[in-house]
């Protein structure tokens, strides 16, 4: 009997040993698979961002007001070597701290040239890194599948795509805020430990201040404090606030402001401290900034800038309560990230739609979680999903109708009747779209046909409540639509509005020894200065003095066509314009001319 008991104990021991070995093998296999997925997913996201963000950085000229203004700061750094306090056009104080411009200047110096591509490169670079950071954060909060979908959603959201290819500071701000918050969560969770990572967290907070000011410190600080308060982790909050790294944050973040204040004095204080921070947030009415909007201004933009994924935003928000997401640490952190950013900017007096960009990384992960976890809808949810399916079908009908018009050579059909209901500022853009459609080749038509098909498929799956089949349809739909815009519509818009080719021709026609001037007028001068390669003096003279100057020199003056016609009515003896711009400026209403003076006794060439 003792032998039988011993034999049973031995068999049980062997069984337990086998289970332990099996679990160890499974754990090793899961770790190996996780590493394989990690490398594969990072490669997929990197290739996607490379395809979406980088190919057109240098081929599309500046054609709006914002990009060339930032480019002039980069140009000032490269030309003068003044990194601490660069001035636009050697005179104007920039409206933002110089972090973005430092990266643009560094890229230009490394490549040995300055162009649209080198100035825009930081935005595309940080957008790519931001997608990877969101993926890594998603792996910690959820799982690799949800994290990958979150990265795909972020990279193909309208706001994120648009800011990844422009020379503006918003993507740089968004990246450093995203990285700071992700690093905090990993520290809180215990995935990262040790002095190095804590000091890295405070370093990133300080660097973020140099992207767009104190807002990059205020929003993460509020998110962190609310999160730790709701989790009742006062010990961790006290540890963060008393850490020596706080000194590092303040030293890096505000030392530049102190040095710039010494250099720029009252003008700098009024421009960057009062106007861009205090007045923009607190001052309504007279004395405030030029972007004052009501408190509810951002609600439609939250939806529009996140398309096509924000079609499901109501379901994502409802799921926060139904699935008790506030009880989950990771989801609570992401929800607070979205809410704090949205509420803070809604309370600000000054508002621009793109200010919401920093909330889309967290919203992308929350949307991915909803797609990954949502298996039941209920009757009300089914009705809502079918309504969205109807929207997709309507979109397919609209795009399909345009496609048929393109194939038949009719374009947008009754374009004049459509344009008549638009604002004058928007009519020029509408006709540009019509011209692109009328000139669309077989590749253009093929891509549009695929877009129609994808809208149909998405609508069909939603009517069948097959939610899991929708994300890939929306992903490819967003990618194709973005590529269609970047390779067709945006270049056409840029060609019609940019002054790049005009300034190139001006430079070729300049006589050695002559001077180029700008005459005041209602046109944007930033891109003219950038494409000229340096400052252009502005003539502060009345029309009579200008006429006298032109009759006694070979200097050239760039002015608006309307200003020239007005001056010509005063003095018919002045020479005719040598050159007229094909581009009509950011608003499509400011064609330019070049007037070359004629020395006394010399014929005008």
């Amino acid at each position: 009997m003792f032998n039988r008991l011993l034999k049973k104990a031995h068999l049980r021991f062997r069984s337990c040993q086998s289970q332990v070995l099996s679990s160890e093998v499974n754990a090793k296999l899961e770790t190996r698979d996780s590493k394989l997925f990690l490398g594969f997913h990072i490669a997929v996201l990197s290739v996607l961002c490379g395809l979406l963000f980088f190919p057109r950085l240098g081929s599309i000229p500046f054609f709006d007001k914002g990009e060339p203004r930032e480019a002039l700061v980069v140009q000032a750094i490269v030309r003068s070597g003044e990194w601490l306090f660069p001035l636009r056009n050697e005179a104007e104080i920039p409206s933002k701290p110089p972090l973005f411009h430092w990266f643009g200047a560094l890229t230009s110096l490394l490549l040995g040239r300055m162009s649209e591509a080198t100035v825009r490169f930081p935005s595309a670079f940080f957008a790519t890194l931001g997608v990877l950071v969101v993926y890594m954060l998603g792996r910690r909060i959820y799982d690799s599948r949800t994290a990958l979908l979150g990265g795909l959603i972020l990279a193909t959201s309208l706001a994120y795509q648009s800011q990844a290819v422009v020379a503006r500071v918003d993507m740089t701000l968004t990246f450093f805020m995203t990285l700071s918050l992700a690093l905090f969560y990993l520290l809180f969770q215990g995935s990262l430990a040790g002095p190095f990572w804590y000091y890295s967290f405070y370093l990133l907070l300080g660097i973020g201040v140099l992207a767009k000011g104190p807002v990059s410190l205020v929003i993460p600080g509020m998110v962190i404090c609310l999160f730790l308060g709701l989790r009742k982790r006062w010990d961790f909050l006290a540890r963060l606030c008393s850490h020596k790294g706080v000194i590092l944050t303040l030293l890096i973040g505000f030392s530049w402001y102190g040095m710039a204040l010494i250099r720029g004095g009252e003008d700098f204080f009024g421009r960057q401290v009062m106007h861009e921070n205090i007045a923009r947030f607190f001052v309504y009415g007279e004395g405030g900034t030029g972007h004052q909007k009501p408190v509810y201004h951002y609600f439609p933009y939250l939806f529009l800038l996140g398309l096509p994924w924000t079609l499901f935003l109501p379901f994502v928000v409802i799921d926060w309560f139904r699935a008790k997401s506030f009880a989950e640490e990771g989801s609570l952190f992401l929800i607070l990230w979205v809410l704090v950013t949205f509420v803070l900017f809604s309370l600000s007096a000054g508002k621009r739609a793109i200010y919401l960009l920093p909330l889309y990384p967290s919203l992308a992960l929350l949307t991915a979680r909803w797609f990954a976890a949502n298996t039941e809808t209920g009757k009300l949810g089914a009705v809502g999903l079918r309504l969205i399916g109807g929207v997709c079908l309507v979109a397919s009908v609209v795009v399909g109708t345009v496609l048929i018009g393109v194939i038949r050579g009719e374009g947008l059909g009754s374009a004049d009747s459509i344009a008549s209901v638009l604002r004058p500022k928007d009519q020029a853009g509408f006709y540009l779209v019509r011209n692109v459609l009328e000139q669309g080749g077989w590749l253009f038509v093929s891509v549009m046909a695929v877009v129609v098909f994808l809208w149909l498929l998405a609508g069909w799956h939603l009517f069948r409540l097959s939610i899991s089949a929708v994300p890939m349809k929306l992903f490819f739909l967003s990618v194709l639509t973005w590529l269609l815009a970047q390779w067709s519509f945006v270049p056409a818009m840029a060609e019609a509005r940019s002054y790049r080719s005009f300034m190139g021709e001006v430079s070729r026609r300049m006589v050695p020894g002559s001077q180029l001037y700008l005459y005041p007028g209602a046109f944007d001068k930033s891109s003219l200065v950038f494409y000229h390669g340096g400052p252009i003096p502005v003539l502060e003279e009345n029309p009579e003095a200008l006429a006298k100057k032109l009759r006694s020199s070979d200097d050239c003056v760039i002015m608006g066509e309307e200003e020239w016609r007005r001056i010509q009515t005063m003095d018919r003896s002045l020479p005719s314009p040598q050159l007229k711009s094909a581009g009509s400026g950011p608003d499509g209403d400011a064609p330019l001319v070049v007037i070359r003076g004629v020395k006394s006794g010399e014929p005008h060439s």
Side-chain angles (χ1 to χ4, degrees), residues 7 93 106 135 184 187 201 216 290 322 335 372 379 411 438 448 485 501 525:
K7 186 175 181 180
I93 295 174
L106 184 61
Y135 169 73
F184 156 77
L187 289 170
F201 166 69
S216 60
R322 189 184 67 178
I335 291 169
K379 292 183 178 180
E438 290 177 348
M448 284 192 66
S501 60
K525 303 171 182 62

Side-chain angles (χ1 to χ4, degrees), residues 119-133:
V119 179
R120 288 169 174 154
F121 178 81
S123 292
F125 177 69
F126 286 128
T128 303
L129 292 183
V131 170
L132 299 180
V133 169

Side-chain angles (χ1 to χ4, degrees), residues 27-38:
K28 290 180 179 179
L29 289 174
E30 289 178 3
T31 303
R32 186 190 67 181
D33 292 343
S34 178
K35 290 181 179 179
L36 288 174
F37 277 124
L38 174 63

Side-chain angles (χ1 to χ4, degrees), residues 78-89:
V78 174
R79 281 175 53 86
S80 66
E82 176 56 69
W83 291 76
L84 180 63
F85 195 62
L87 299 176
R88 279 197 297 246
N89 206 17

Side-chain angles (χ1 to χ4, degrees), residues 193-206:
F196 173 79
W197 293 111
Y198 275 92
Y199 280 107
S200 296
F201 166 69
Y202 291 105
L203 176 66
L204 289 170
L205 284 177

Side-chain angles (χ1 to χ4, degrees), residues 63-66 69 291 293 301 419-433 493 496-497 584-590:
F63 64 96
D64 67 354
K65 296 178 181 179
R69 292 177 187 173
H291 303 296
K293 304 292 180 182
Y301 286 104
S420 63
V421 301
L422 299 176
R423 297 179 303 173
K425 181 180 178 179
D426 298 326
Q427 289 180 0
F430 173 80
Y431 284 116
L432 283 172
V433 172
M493 183 76 71
R497 297 190 175 183
S584 54
D587 295 328
D589 59 355

